[in-house]
Amino acid sequence: MLRSQPNRRDFIRARSRRPGGGPAAASVPLDPGPSTAWATPAGAPSETVRFGMIGIGMQGTGLLATAIRLPGVECAGACDLYDGRHVRANEIIQEVTGRSVPTTRRYQDLLDNKEIDCVVVAVPDHWHQQIIVDACNAGKDVYCEKPMTHRVAEGFEIISAADKNNRIVQIGSQRRSSIVYAKARELVGQGAIGDVVLVEGGMGRNDPCGAWVYPPPPDLSPQNLDWETWQGDAPKRPFDPIRFARWRGFQDYGEGIPGDLFVHVLTGIHYVMNVTAPPARALSVGGLFRWKDDGRDQPDEMATLYDYPSFRAVIRVTLNTDLAEVTRFLGTRGMIEIRDDRLTLSPQDGQDHEPCYYTESYPEKMHAAYVRQWHEEHDRPPGTAQAISASSFHAPPGYNDDREHLWNFFQSVRTRQPSVEDARFGNHTAIGCHMANYSYFRRTVAVWDESAREIKG
Ligand SMILES: NC(=O)c1ccc[n+]([C@@H]2O[C@H](COP(=O)([O-])OP(=O)(O)OC[C@H]3O[C@@H](n4cnc5c(N)ncnc54)[C@H](O)[C@@H]3O)[C@@H](O)[C@H]2O)c1
């Protein structure tokens, strides 16, 4: 991995490699594709893409460390509201390039900088829309972390700003660039598991860090953090280091479990199943059972049923039990299971393999006649049986879909080809997250109304 620090996904992967964490079947390595071109030297200087980094916290540090190692990509400035993260940004950049970049608390400084082609944004969710729209209006392309929005209406404002300014917008759900999910999409498209009628996915954690009980930086103060700006359009509160570090647990800034974790599962499902609209309906249950001490108002347990026109999905995430991250596509001809970077295809023929047990309730003579006839019609001639094989595919060692996803973005900036996860795609998964929360908090079925562009109860 290129990251200087393992991120939560690395941690999840490492955990799921524990004994019992995955199938041991022989597995075919997947081809990482054109990105092997990374081995070639960077292009001419004119092809260098210069980005500004906005938000250098837990995710931003990883994105920055990954992006500056990509050929032909340079960081030209970094922005954060907390000065400690200016130091961190330059520590990361110095280690790789031996130089440092200008830092600022005002992201507008990066948008005004003519040397900068695009921005990579990793700020809390309540700031996404404003920064994406401002960046598009300033003529910058944008990579912004998931979920794309904090509120439903923001998604349409982002789409409109990207369209109006002809900007590349890519949302940071890295599964959209994963070769494992691409393989699943190919197999589903080929009909390898027949008609997919249900998808199930989820994950679980059982530790304070996994439950977002992050320790705020010890020196954090109103002197080194612009707390007023950090709060954005949320209700103003006195300086609060807990809210700064654990914003995911508060509705004012994030979307809790759906925005943090469902969004990854939804991205995989929408990509594999070629979904081009929000879910039609959602119904959630959950609760805040354990991680209450920091005053959060988001649940630590949620399960949601989604209704799509051609299939159903069930997503469940718990912060109270450690579970592997698994998504299963269930079809009339078998199942595809994705467990971290490994995909297993288990075909099924959908036929009876022995006389139906219902007929044991027939009178004996009738049952015997049925069984005899069944065998006459179904038994294979001796020597013709074939084993039904399961196939397994995995990403090559060292594969990192964060890096693939960033690379795809910078390639779009260079070539002006559409991004792999544009604002429309990001909006559909974000709306799926908002629908889960709408249903949970209002205790009703959430229904997507496309003409009103609203969730209704
Ligand atoms: N794709 C993934 O796997 C993944 C993983 C983790 C986080 N994320 C996403 O990344 C984003 C950031 O999450 P995080 O955990 O890094 O948060 P964080 O709190 O660790 O870091 C966010 C940083 O943004 C800064 N910030 C806030 N508002 C700002 C503004 N207006 N201008 C400049 N800087 C500002 C904060 O000071 C902070 O340093 C979120 O949207 C989150 O959902 C994605």
Side-chain angles (χ1 to χ4, degrees), residues 339-388:
R339 199 174 269 264
D340 299 311
D341 284 346
R342 181 176 296 264
L343 180 159
T344 306
L345 165 66
S346 310
Q348 300 170 0
D349 63 11
Q351 303 295 320
D352 282 340
H353 296 129
E354 56 188 35
C356 180
Y357 40 76
Y358 177 81
T359 62
E360 284 167 26
S361 62
Y362 290 3
E364 179 50 36
K365 210 169 146 196
M366 200 185 295
H367 176 242
Y370 165 81
V371 170
R372 196 169 43 252
Q373 185 180 346
W374 191 94
H375 282 295
E376 280 168 17
E377 288 172 2
H378 292 89
D379 283 2
R380 295 170 205 275
T384 62
Q386 288 187 341
I388 297 174

Side-chain angles (χ1 to χ4, degrees), residues 196-238:
V196 177
V197 287
L198 184 65
V199 184
E200 57 177 34
M203 63 192 84
R205 302 167 171 183
N206 191 3
D207 49 83
C209 194
W212 317 319
V213 185
Y214 301 140
D219 74 339
L220 197 71
S221 76
Q223 282 67 54
N224 59 27
L225 167 70
D226 180 349
W227 172 244
E228 286 307 301
T229 303
W230 187 94
Q231 295 178 86
D233 61 3
K236 296 291 181 215
R237 293 173 179 274

